[in-house]
Amino acid sequence: MCGIVGYVGKQKVVPILVDGLKRLEYRGYDSAGLALLQDGEMVIYRSVGKIKELENLLWGKDHSGHIGVGHTRWATHGRPTEENAHPHTDCSGSLVVVHNGIIETYLPLKEKLRQEGHHFKSDTDTEVIAHLIEKYLEGDLEGAVRRALQEVVGAYAIGVLWKGDPQRIVGARCGSPLVVGLGQGEFFLASDIPAILNHTRNVLFLDEEEMAVLSPEGVHVTNLQGEPVAKEVQKVLWSPILAEKGGYKHFMLKEIYEQPRGVRDTIRGRFSEETGRIYLEGMEAVEEDLRRARRIYIVACGTSWHAALVGKFILEECSRIPVEVDYGSEFRYRDPLLGEEALVLVISQSGETMDSLAALRESKRRGSKVLSICNVVGSSISRESHAVIYTHAGPEIGVASTKAFTSQLAALYLFSLYLGQLRGQISPDKARAMLQDLVRAPQLLEQVLRQDEELDRLSHLFYTKGDFLYLGRGINYPLALEGALKLKEISYIHAEGYPAGEMKHGPIALIDEDMPVVVLAPKDKFYEKILGNIQEVKARDGIVIAFASEDDEEIADRVDHLFTIPKTSHLLTPLLLAIPMQLLAYYIAVRKGCDVDQPRNLAKSVTVE
Ligand code: AGP
């Protein structure tokens, strides 16, 4: 996700835009820019890196302009470069656009506009919007924006400024947030409240497919058909720091709640429900290697390694290719048997984890093609891979990985479907059915999030415990590991995840009346066996906290605490189980007074061996 700001009023616009962008830096910070009208001319500044770089560009320049737009970027299409930084312009350079979101149909639109004579300067999807508006601009900016957006499919929150209409900014949203701030004779546009809280607490929130036109005289809101829309002005009572977290107490909780959107954005524009086809940019570079591969190695660390373990199950079921999973810190030292018939997939949220990057380089040295799943465009791992599948989870600020993990699972599901079809293992009908399951997943995640308060209450019973055991089977066993990792890394309580069937080979000795045991028990082919494991724990006075399917009517009286998740395919059950694992760890850590967003001894990206 990115951050956009806009201002029109009586103050000098540049300091307001820069301050607003700095308060939105948590939404993305790989490049930034702003545009203002100064003495009738459009003046644009863009820089790579954090807002500080933009400030350096502006240093010593005194602009008297009173209207402008700004942007801080989290790259999704096109690497973090100055050419790809926003604002983007039309051919004439007299119209600028800043954008947060993903335009699914940007490639065909770009091709059509090129054929109509438009010339493009960037690799971004956003620039297409600027040229579309230019195409329809005949003096009426608002009308041209409206016509352009009617041709666009995807998510957007935009700010548009045109030299030919020097007193107005047009904003519009569909799928990405946009708020309007109401001052005294001055008006603000922003992706999020923190950008404008210093200037006004009176805001109105645009809803889907609504447009706002800001001028010194005021704001008017319409829908995409041009019909006026009455909006209620709301008073924001948050503190600025709370506002930066979207009203959540911690970034981690905000990011747990962003997971439905992260999954939606990761899958957006990458499949056709009608044909069952999957579209993954850049796969042509490795398509032959994918056809030829006789083995796949997935390499990752930490939570991404847990995603890799889930990926093994999905990939093997869909493609029938043997998959091995390795820790990044181990892989390069074990003399892996690589070569052109072994494909390596590196999974990394940051794209900078040294162990995973070293594994990538060793794989290439040994003659294997490398694919990666990354959340940061232009990161080292993404740049050094032969092909990349980007997750679109947006910047993950909390050290404990949450939304990146579920977005990785969504990307693995898509890639498995792609590979299964490429290798003739999945029919179009099967693919369409599997895509229907995937499309429903975000709303099922939203349903699971509603257990938030129950898990908060449960944490009250267990936050003083010293040890936890997490058990799961099959594709859900990696979620037992992930639940244990989440707990230990933010609450400092020791926890271990195990395959439930492994308990009798040792861990069962740990069970006593003081040992909480989290059991992942969805109605799948392991259900009866898991019930047996629950019985083994209860027979030793262990405390069982079970996560089962919502239609399960027999487990309730066999466990001490029961939570349920909606039914979905066995391949997507791990995606739903991730949220209760995260919330249980979060609430226990909060009750213990731990620094949830920045746990002791940890870093968000481990760029050392
Ligand atoms: C997960 O909660 C941890 N913060 C950590 O294990 C992390 O997953 C690991 O360091 C890998 O990071 P990456 O995904 O950026 O490569």
Side-chain angles (χ1 to χ4, degrees):
M1 58 187 173
C2 306
I4 70 174
V5 291
Y7 174 79
V8 57
K10 45 190 180 296
Q11 299 187 65
K12 287 185 178 181
V13 66
V14 170
I16 292 176
L17 295 180
V18 171
D19 176 65
L21 290 177
K22 286 163 88 171
R23 295 174 189 283
L24 294 181
E25 208 159 30
Y26 70 88
R27 297 179 64 83
Y29 39 74
D30 59 44
S31 52
L34 61 83
L36 70 146
L37 282 174
Q38 171 78 23
D39 305 328
E41 290 305 321
M42 188 72 75
V43 180
I44 300 173
Y45 294 94
R46 299 188 301 185
S47 61
V48 177
K50 295 201 161 192
I51 309 297
K52 187 78 192 123
E53 301 307 323
L54 183 63
E55 282 188 293
N56 293 341
L57 268 185
L58 292 160
W59 181 251
K61 296 187 175 68
D62 179 23
H63 294 297
S64 57
H66 301 282
I67 185 169
V69 291
H71 185 274
T72 183
R73 187 171 184 237
W74 181 265
T76 55
H77 294 78
R79 288 179 50 197
T81 60
E82 187 179 329
E83 296 71 29
N84 289 333
H86 301 212
H88 288 287
T89 73
D90 65 346
C91 298
S92 69
S94 65
L95 178 135
V96 296
V97 175
V98 289
H99 166 230
N100 170 33
I102 296 171
I103 305 301
E104 294 174 30
T105 54
Y106 85 98
L107 285 174
L109 283 172
K110 186 169 183 174
E111 195 41 49
K112 186 158 169 272
L113 287 161
R114 272 209 180 101
Q115 288 164 3
E116 294 167 358
H118 291 263
H119 53 270
F120 287 82
K121 302 179 281 293
S122 81
D123 305 327
T124 67
D125 53 338
T126 302
E127 192 183 356
V128 166
I129 302 174
H131 292 279
L132 261 183
I133 297 169
E134 176 185 25
K135 172 179 176 179
Y136 295 117
L137 191 53
E138 294 157 0
D140 170 13
L141 178 62
E142 188 180 345
V145 172
R146 188 168 290 122
R147 283 193 64 185
L149 294 180
Q150 284 160 0
E151 282 198 35
V152 159
V153 176
Y156 57 79
I158 59 170
V160 185
L161 181 63
W162 175 42
K163 192 167 83 168
D165 193 345
Q167 291 295 316
R168 297 202 302 167
I169 293 173
V170 177
R173 72 153 284 177
C174 177
S176 296
L178 198 57
V179 59
V180 176
L182 310 172
Q184 299 298 322
E186 57 183 11
F187 300 92
F188 306 80
L189 193 66
S191 297
D192 205 352
I193 289 167
I196 54 180
L197 211 47
N198 266 4
H199 306 285
T200 178
R201 289 185 178 275
N202 300 315
V203 301
L204 53 88
F205 296 94
L206 292 191
D207 290 310
E208 296 302 17
E209 298 197 345
E210 288 184 348
M211 279 175 60
V213 179
L214 287 66
S215 72
E217 289 70 47
V219 177
H220 78 263
V221 177
T222 65
N223 59 23
L224 278 193
Q225 288 66 46
E227 297 149 352
V229 176
K231 303 297 288 182
E232 180 197 352
V233 177
Q234 308 200 27
K235 192 99 175 158
V236 177
L237 303 175
W238 289 340
S239 69
I241 187 63
L242 199 55
E244 198 167 295
K245 294 169 185 166
Y248 293 99
K249 190 173 178 187
H250 297 102
F251 277 113
M252 182 178 174
L253 188 58
K254 176 171 177 281
E255 288 154 9
I256 288 172
Y257 271 81
E258 285 177 345
Q259 293 183 99
R261 182 192 56 71
V263 168
R264 273 195 195 94
D265 284 354
T266 296
I267 66 177
R268 188 188 298 276
R270 287 175 155 169
F271 61 90
S272 160
E273 281 194 81
E274 290 72 46
T275 64
R277 279 199 60 201
I278 308 296
Y279 307 101
L280 295 173
E281 312 87 359
M283 277 304 121
E284 55 281 350
V286 291
E287 189 171 315
E288 274 321 301
D289 305 277
L290 290 171
R291 286 185 195 282
R292 185 173 55 224
R294 298 171 64 81
R295 178 176 300 283
I296 295 176
Y297 293 89
I298 314 181
V299 183
C301 300
T303 286
S304 297
W305 183 75
H306 298 151
L309 289 176
V310 175
K312 170 184 168 69
F313 285 91
I314 308 175
L315 263 171
E316 286 188 342
E317 179 167 322
C318 292
S319 71
R320 312 312 296 160
I321 301 177
V323 176
E324 280 192 49
V325 177
D326 274 88
Y327 279 117
S329 54
E330 292 288 319
F331 184 69
R332 62 193 181 282
Y333 299 117
R334 69 173 187 77
D335 191 13
L337 304 175
L338 297 175
E340 59 183 22
E341 295 188 339
L343 183 95
V344 175
L345 169 60
V346 177
I347 302 177
S348 175
Q349 185 285 128
S350 63
E352 299 299 344
T353 299
M354 180 48 74
D355 283 326
S356 303
L357 179 59
L360 177 153
R361 290 170 175 164
E362 180 63 12
S363 301
K364 288 170 72 173
R365 196 180 66 78
R366 290 176 180 245
S368 280
K369 282 289 177 65
V370 178
L371 186 60
S372 61
I373 293 177
C374 266
N375 195 42
V376 181
V377 174
S379 58
S380 302
I381 288 174
S382 68
R383 270 185 293 111
E384 297 188 27
S385 300
H386 292 103
V388 192
I389 301 172
Y390 284 114
T391 50
H392 294 149
E396 190 174 67
I397 310 298
V399 165
S401 188
T402 52
K403 63 178 181 175
F405 176 66
T406 45
S407 292
Q408 288 166 351
L409 297 187
L412 282 161
Y413 189 91
L414 277 178
F415 176 58
S416 301
L417 260 178
Y418 170 84
L419 189 57
Q421 292 185 81
L422 187 71
R423 306 261 307 199
Q425 299 296 328
I426 293 185
S427 69
D429 284 348
K430 172 73 175 163
R432 279 191 286 269
M434 290 179 69
L435 282 171
Q436 283 170 8
D437 290 334
L438 181 62
V439 166
R440 285 185 61 238
Q443 70 195 59
L444 298 182
L445 287 172
E446 279 157 0
Q447 195 176 318
V448 179
L449 281 166
R450 292 184 206 126
Q451 297 183 43
D452 183 323
E453 286 179 20
E454 291 170 62
L455 285 159
D456 185 5
R457 272 195 298 278
L458 181 77
S459 68
H460 180 68
L461 303 176
F462 296 107
Y463 75 100
T464 58
K465 298 297 182 186
D467 287 289
F468 272 71
L469 194 56
Y470 286 71
L471 303 177
R473 280 183 178 260
I475 194 171
N476 299 312
Y477 143 59
L479 267 289
L481 301 179
E482 175 60 10
L485 175 63
K486 282 285 140 326
L487 185 69
K488 59 188 150 188
E489 69 173 325
I490 62 174
S491 75
Y492 318 140
I493 294 174
H494 178 252
E496 285 191 79
Y498 265 94
E502 191 57 22
M503 201 178 50
K504 55 188 175 292
H505 299 289
I508 199 165
L510 292 170
I511 307 294
D512 62 21
E513 69 284 354
D514 207 28
M515 164 74 84
V517 180
V518 175
V519 182
L520 307 180
K523 272 281 182 71
D524 58 15
K525 62 185 180 185
F526 303 105
Y527 181 68
E528 294 306 325
K529 295 188 184 306
I530 278 279
L531 289 183
N533 298 134
I534 288 172
Q535 193 49 48
E536 289 162 7
V537 173
K538 291 306 298 167
R540 291 156 181 82
D541 301 326
I543 308 156
V544 175
I545 304 164
F547 294 85
S549 300
E550 62 189 0
D551 60 353
D552 187 328
E553 294 174 352
E554 63 179 297
I555 196 170
D557 56 12
R558 301 176 185 224
V559 300
D560 300 283
H561 305 277
L562 175 62
F563 296 86
T564 60
I565 61 167
K567 287 288 282 180
T568 183
S569 88
H570 64 291
L571 296 179
L572 289 170
T573 301
L575 188 74
L576 302 189
L577 286 170
I579 286 186
M581 295 299 103
Q582 295 158 358
L583 287 172
L584 180 60
Y586 171 79
Y587 283 112
I588 287 176
V590 169
R591 279 191 194 282
K592 286 194 68 179
C594 296
D595 183 350
V596 169
D597 283 334
Q598 295 179 332
R600 68 186 183 197
N601 310 337
L602 289 175
K604 184 56 189 168
S605 177
V606 183
T607 56
V608 294
E609 273 217 59

